[in-house]
Amino acid sequence: MDELPRNFPYTARRTTYLTIVCSFGFLLLMESGGVALVANLLITNPWLRISINLVHLGLCIFIAIAMVSVLSTRHRITPGGLQLNYGRTLHVQLPYVAIRDVQPVRDVQAGLQPLTARYDSKKQELVACFSDQGQLLLRLHTAQLLKIGHKEHLVSSILFNVDQPELFLTTLTPYLQDLMEAVAEIMPPHTRRSEDALVRSVQAQSQSGQLVIVIENLTRRFADFVAVDKLNMTIGRGEIYGFLGSNGAGKTTTIKMLVGLLEPHDGYIRLAGHDVWSESVAAKRLLGYVADRALLYDRLTGREFLAFLAQVRGLAKNVADQKIEQLLAVLDLTEYAQRLCGSYSFGMKRKLALAGALLHEPAILILDEPFNGLDPRSARHLKDLLLVLARQGTTILLSTHDLATAEAICDRVGIFHKGRLMAEGSAVELRQLAEAPDLETVFLQLTSEQKEEVGV
């Protein structure tokens, strides 16, 4: 590997820029100088003349620094991470664990913007391109709060350019690969998971405090029956949390309270800091929800149903159309999109409901038995999609009876029984706790009648 740190400039086309800057600066200097000269001739108060001259000088210096400072900054690859520097407006350091990938951009995404970096709120993208040459797109595992100028924004991707993109990628890639190898080495062989799970596990540790779902003392009764009994639970950003339990354990009741369909008798729920009941509109904007039974309009086609949901969510038509086609393709529904929803099979209805939940790219996705009725191929596609969403920062609460799936893709699982959370943790932690070979055995031990009698 190359010795670090390495500096990478991004201003190869500086000659044209300097010509523009000098021309603009000369015109500004002449104009402001003329104003200052007239003021000195007409104003007799010496202190006022000095003040005007100082203001004129300060303005010239400020503009010169703002225009020229971009030429002196460099991106840096260091042992601790990647530093992106852009003029006076952007100085951020990204640890390698936060970086999902960096890819060259084939089609130009942004034109010249030499003075400041800008933020695209729709894409959660930071754009810092001095020119249209050597553009690279960096994607993060989860959105991070980065300071751009004097403001902080939630950023999922960064578009920037370097003069030598091939050398930059050649230098950076080994450090991203070494991170994965180092994580894999410290994990015991029987606990190693897929690359996605490893990255999300490390990322979750690096993002302590970023809790998206907070449940405290949540209680719900139906007459004398306590369906949910003082539930306490937290889920972090970008985490897949498996909600496991027998029929009647209280999972669906909890989920209905989470999405605002059922009011608790005690306790509270906060979604990204918003109370589900006192700030219901703000909380529900963050949500995508798929119920255990898909609720569709039978007389609408699949595409019409998704277009209707996009209008309800306030999505622009061009954005909605693109998203609809993407989701139909991912969920293998394109060839059925013109059919009426009433003609769909149970599995197809489940997939269409999931597409509707993902239309507005929710920060929180709550799924109640999403694998019911899906064929093996569709179930595999859904698992892959959930992993991708988690890597992009979506928090996922997944209620399922499929213990193998929960063990394969969930960062943590909670075992729910008779309204109470019996145990929670990673599949490895729960297996070690119960001294069991797999999650199914753990589940059966914790929910057995024998455990109930001793009050576990």
Side-chain angles (χ1 to χ4, degrees), residues 271-285:
L271 304 180
H274 301 289
D275 186 274
V276 169
W277 287 96
S278 63
E279 303 173 272
S280 60
V281 175
K284 289 176 182 178
R285 281 178 181 154

Side-chain angles (χ1 to χ4, degrees), residues 51-316:
S51 299
I52 291 174
N53 288 328
L54 289 176
V55 169
H56 169 233
L57 179 62
L59 178 63
C60 292
I61 293 174
F62 174 78
I63 293 175
I65 292 175
M67 289 185 170
V68 179
S69 61
V70 70
L71 300 176
S72 63
T73 55
R74 302 284 188 273
H75 302 313
R76 305 184 75 213
I77 297 178
T78 72
L82 174 62
Q83 292 181 3
L84 295 180
N85 304 299
Y86 194 77
R88 302 175 65 245
T89 60
L90 180 66
H91 301 282
V92 299
Q93 176 151 345
L94 299 170
Y96 294 126
V97 71
I99 300 173
R100 177 183 176 185
D101 58 35
V102 184
Q103 299 291 338
V105 175
R106 295 182 179 179
D107 298 323
V108 175
Q109 301 292 316
L112 181 68
Q113 49 169 68
L115 293 183
T116 59
R118 65 178 174 84
Y119 177 67
D120 187 336
S121 58
K122 290 184 178 180
K123 296 181 179 179
Q124 287 190 338
E125 185 171 273
L126 168 62
V127 182
C129 293
F130 182 80
S131 74
D132 57 3
Q133 301 296 308
Q135 290 189 352
L136 301 172
L137 181 63
L138 181 152
R139 293 184 297 174
L140 302 173
H141 286 298
T142 59
Q144 295 201 15
L145 203 60
L146 301 181
K147 190 172 183 180
I148 308 169
H150 299 292
K151 295 183 179 180
E152 289 187 334
H153 298 282
L154 202 60
V155 176
S156 297
S157 59
I158 302 174
L159 182 66
F160 64 104
N161 73 292
V162 292
D163 296 341
Q164 297 174 297
E166 295 83 5
L167 179 60
F168 179 89
L169 292 174
T170 301
T171 307
L172 178 65
T173 300
Y175 294 93
L176 299 181
Q177 293 175 344
D178 280 357
L179 172 68
M180 289 305 308
E181 292 173 2
V183 173
E185 287 176 2
I186 64 175
M187 298 286 286
H190 67 280
T191 65
R192 291 180 188 173
R193 295 178 284 172
S194 66
E195 179 179 327
D196 279 347
L198 284 171
V199 170
R200 288 187 288 109
S201 177
V202 177
Q203 184 66 11
Q205 295 179 33
S206 70
Q207 293 189 7
S208 58
Q210 293 191 24
L211 298 179
V212 176
I213 299 177
V214 177
I215 300 174
E216 185 169 328
N217 292 325
L218 190 67
T219 303
R220 174 70 195 192
R221 296 179 294 274
F222 294 95
D224 295 332
F225 174 67
V226 180
V228 179
D229 187 11
K230 296 181 180 178
L231 175 62
N232 292 281
M233 193 167 71
T234 60
I235 306 176
R237 186 183 306 280
E239 185 176 10
I240 301 180
Y241 189 99
F243 210 29
L244 310 182
S246 307
N247 292 331
K251 304 189 305 297
T252 297
T253 300
T254 301
I255 286 174
K256 287 183 177 180
M257 289 189 283
L258 271 169
V259 301
L261 295 177
L262 193 63
E263 190 168 4
H265 286 115
D266 196 12
Y268 67 82
I269 303 169
R270 289 195 176 93
L271 304 180
H274 301 289
D275 186 274
V276 169
W277 287 96
S278 63
E279 303 173 272
S280 60
V281 175
K284 289 176 182 178
R285 281 178 181 154
L286 303 168
L287 275 176
Y289 170 50
V290 179
D292 54 345
R293 294 182 181 179
L295 301 176
L296 309 177
Y297 292 100
D298 289 348
R299 295 188 179 182
L300 294 179
T301 67
R303 184 175 276 106
E304 288 171 344
F305 175 73
L306 294 179
F308 167 71
L309 291 183
Q311 290 180 353
V312 172
R313 288 288 185 180
L315 299 179

Side-chain angles (χ1 to χ4, degrees), residues 330-331 354 358 380-390:
V330 168
L331 295 170
L354 178 62
L358 294 173
R380 178 69 263 178
H381 287 175
L382 178 55
K383 294 173 189 176
D384 293 340
L385 178 60
L386 295 181
L387 289 170
V388 169
L389 291 171

Side-chain angles (χ1 to χ4, degrees), residues 316-328 359:
K317 189 176 185 307
N318 60 330
V319 175
D321 290 344
Q322 181 180 0
K323 193 66 179 178
I324 287 171
E325 295 305 321
Q326 177 187 354
L327 289 170
L328 289 173
L359 263 178

